[in-house]
Every structure is written in C-alpha cells, then in structure tokens.
C-alpha cells in the first residue's frame, strides 16, 4: 500500500482522507502489509505437503491414491489428509502461495515464498538417540536433517551472512509440531510408557536448540507449536482400549496420554519463555495446538463435527480404525463432519479450526496475525 504525503501541489491532504487511509491500513490483510514474505516450515506428517511422497518415487503408496486430497485439491497431493493442512491455512491467511515441499526442487528451487521441510514420521531427536534403549525409530529425517536441508538451501539462494539475515528477517519460521513421533513410536512399540517421561527434556531441548540456531542465522519470527491431546486420537483410543472406566476422562479420552501430552507442552512452554528471554529481538510465538484441538473435542457440534473420536476414513470398529485409510477403505461420510481423517491425522476441517485459533487467538501467544 502506498504512503500518503501531507503536502502536494494542491495543498494539504484533508484530515478525512488521512483517517480513511489509516483505517484501511489497520484493517488490510496482513500479507498485503508485507508482514512476512515467506514461510519456512519444519515438522512431520501434520504439515508435510509432499516431501514423503516425493521420496517414494515411482513406488506405489497409499498417499498417492484417493481418498487422500478429496476435499480441497480434489486429488492426492502429498498431504496426509483429505485436504489442506495447517501450514496451508497459515499461508493463505498471510496472503502467500501455498508452501511447496523442499525435496522436489532441493537443488534448484529459488523458493521465493518459502519452503516446507516437514516429512511424514519425522522425529525431533535423531534415531541413534534411542539406541541406548534398544529402541528403533524407522525414519531418519529428524529435525536436525531438515535443518541441514534448510541451511543447504539458504547457502544456495542467499549466499553471505548479510543476505541470509535479510531473507530470514522477512520470513516466518514454523518449527513443528515436532516431537510427537518421538513418543508415538515408543508407545506404538508397547514400550513401558512411564519411561517416555525421560525423553521430554531432550525432545524439548532439541527443539529449543534448533530454534536458537535459526535465530542465530537471522530469524526474527519463529512459531513453536505444542503437541496434540493424543489421548483423544482414534488410533490411541483403539490401541490402548481399556475396560477400566478410570482410564478415561469425561469426553471420553484416555486420561494418561493426555496428561503426558500436557507434561510435554508444559516443558515446551518453559523453553519458549527461555528463548524469549535470551533473544529479546526475536518474536517467539507459542502455538497451543492442544488447546485448539480440545475445542472441537469438547464441543464438536459448534464446528459442525459429529463424533470427534472416530476416523472418517478407515474400517469398522468403535473408532473406525479396523482398516487402514487407502483406496479400498471405507469413507464414513463428508470429511467436513469429522475431526479425524485416518485415525491418526486430522481432517481439513479440524486443521481449519486449529489454524483459526492460532491466527486470531486465543491459541497462540501472540496470535499469529498480530505478530507483525
């Protein structure tokens, strides 16, 4: 938007014109004000927009087939959902193009509007970290690997420290959600769940360390989301189904697993506060995905959702998790009436609800659209 001059050939600009211009500026979309010129995002399948599918090459993969992508894109598109994922909603709200996956153009892309480095099944900590517990993490594309890809790209498109700092100062970093799979693989392997508490400080410390590294490179705005209430995830509800009513809260979600997520989130919030104190020149935004998701778990009808604890795509059973979501799976209805897409990942509808809470508040500190 052009600026107004108080003096011109015909004399002074009227007060009414000046007031109108101020009102228009304050109410214009953030992207039009040049808030962020690009988004760089890291994480796992929650925001992967095509990196994992690209890695699969020509090999068959269920994510390349319907019903994935059926809602918004009308075709499979590399997202692990029926439609858009969280980073898509952030880009659209900031008046930016959808953020492309990094890997298809890893060595050649200019990425003028940013790039997405997230990969399905990624962890925060590297797989070798878990070797001391004789525990195997099957995917090597942890946060450190993604940051490595990012730095390679940065060196190619913005050589020199000044160029890097300028580019990053105009960008939004979305660092996660990441860390959920560090726990998912442990719980999924039926390992002693109480032992997972010992991973929290290292998972959180890993996220904080990479956030600090990005700030050191020149990043001025980093959003760090927390983890979801995994006790309300259909896959968990099915895998850890219990005959003890005390294992469930009133919703009914699995009480222990939600408490575990809350413990992780409490530690992450403390790490965000530490980063803020150490970097007063940077904006470190804490996104409360847990709280935003609990909105539609507690009051699904408010958002047009039926039962928030069952999957839209899958099979039979109380949580619709009796089969994988693939081209042969049962789609139980319009995904817009569900929170869970495949028993693990969410629908576009659920991501939309969460994104609104992050963009406008109250589920981000500060709300993303007020972070400029």
């Amino acid at each position: 938007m052009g600026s107004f001059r108080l003096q011109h050939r015909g004399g002074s600009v009227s007060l009414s014109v000046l007031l109108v211009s101020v009102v228009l500026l304050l109410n214009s979309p953030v992207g039009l004000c040049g808030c962020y010129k690009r988004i760089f995002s890291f994480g796992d399948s929650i925001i992967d927009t095509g990196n994992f599918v690209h890695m699969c090459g020509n090999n068959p993969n269920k994510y390349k087939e319907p019903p994935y992508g059926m809602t918004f894109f009308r075709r499979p598109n590399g997202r692990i959902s029926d439609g858009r994922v969280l980073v898509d909603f952030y880009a659209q709200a900031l008046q930016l193009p959808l953020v492309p996956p990094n890997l298809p153009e890893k060595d050649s892309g200019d990425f003028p509007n940013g790039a997405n480095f997230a990969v399905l099944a990624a962890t925060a900590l590297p797989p070798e970290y878990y070797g001391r517990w004789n525990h195997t993490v099957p995917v090597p594309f942890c946060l450190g690997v993604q940051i490595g890809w990012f730095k390679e790209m940065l060196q190619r498109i913005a050589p020199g420290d000044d160029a890097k700092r300028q580019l990053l100062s105009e960008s939004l970093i979305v660092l996660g959600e990441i860390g959920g799979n560090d726990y998912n693989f442990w719980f999924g392997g039926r390992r002693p769940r109480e032992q997972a508490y010992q991973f929290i400080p290292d998972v959180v410390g890993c996220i904080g360390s990479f956030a600090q590294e990005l700030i050191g490179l020149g990043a001025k705005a980093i959003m760090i989301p927390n983890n979801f209430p995994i006790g309300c995830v259909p896959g968990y509800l099915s895998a850890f189904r219990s005959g003890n009513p005390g294992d469930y809260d009133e919703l009914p979600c699995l009480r222990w697993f939600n408490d575990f997520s809350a413990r992780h989130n409490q530690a992450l919030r403390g790490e965000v506060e530490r980063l803020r104190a150490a970097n007063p020149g940077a904006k470190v935004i804490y996104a409360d995905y847990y709280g935003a998701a609990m909105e539609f778990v507690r009051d699904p009808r408010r958002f047009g959702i039926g039962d928030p604890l069952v999957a839209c795509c899958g099979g039979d059973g109380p949580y619709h998790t009796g089969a994988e979501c693939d081209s042969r799976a049962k789609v139980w209805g319009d995904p817009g009436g569900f929170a869970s897409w495949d028993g693990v990942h969410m629908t576009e509808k659920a991501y939309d609800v969460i994104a609104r809470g992050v963009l406008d508040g109250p589920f981000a500190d500060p709300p993303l659209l007020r972070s400029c």
Side-chain angles (χ1 to χ4, degrees), residues 169-190:
S169 71
E170 304 167 342
S171 305
L172 170 68
I173 304 292
V174 179
L175 194 60
E177 175 270 343
I178 190 73
N181 285 325
D182 292 71
Y183 312 127
N184 291 337
F185 287 128
W186 183 266
F187 296 138
R190 298 290 176 158

Side-chain angles (χ1 to χ4, degrees), residues 133-211:
W133 289 281
N134 197 29
H135 173 55
T136 301
V137 170
V139 177
F141 308 110
C142 61
L143 183 55
V145 170
Q146 295 177 32
I147 296 291
W149 293 338
F150 172 73
K151 290 193 290 188
E152 290 174 6
M153 177 215 68
L154 203 58
Q155 180 61 31
R156 182 170 53 78
I157 68 173
D161 290 346
D162 290 344
K164 290 180 178 63
R165 289 188 173 279
Q166 178 63 35
L167 183 141
L168 288 176
S169 71
E170 304 167 342
S171 305
L172 170 68
I173 304 292
V174 179
L175 194 60
E177 175 270 343
I178 190 73
N181 285 325
D182 292 71
Y183 312 127
N184 291 337
F185 287 128
W186 183 266
F187 296 138
R190 298 290 176 158
R191 306 300 294 267
R193 65 186 189 183
E194 298 290 341
Q195 288 188 18
Y197 284 116
Q198 66 190 325
F199 303 142
I200 291 177
D202 289 339
V203 169
V204 168
C206 174
I207 296 169
S209 176
F210 282 118

Side-chain angles (χ1 to χ4, degrees), residues 60-92:
N61 186 280
K62 66 181 182 180
Y63 303 121
K64 298 179 179 180
E65 303 175 352
Y68 288 90
M70 64 180 284
T71 298
F72 181 80
F73 301 96
R74 307 294 181 187
R75 58 178 175 80
N77 54 81
R79 290 159 176 80
I80 318 303
S81 182
D82 64 295
R84 290 166 292 181
V85 294
L86 286 164
V87 72
D88 295 321
F89 288 105
Y90 301 149
Q92 290 179 322

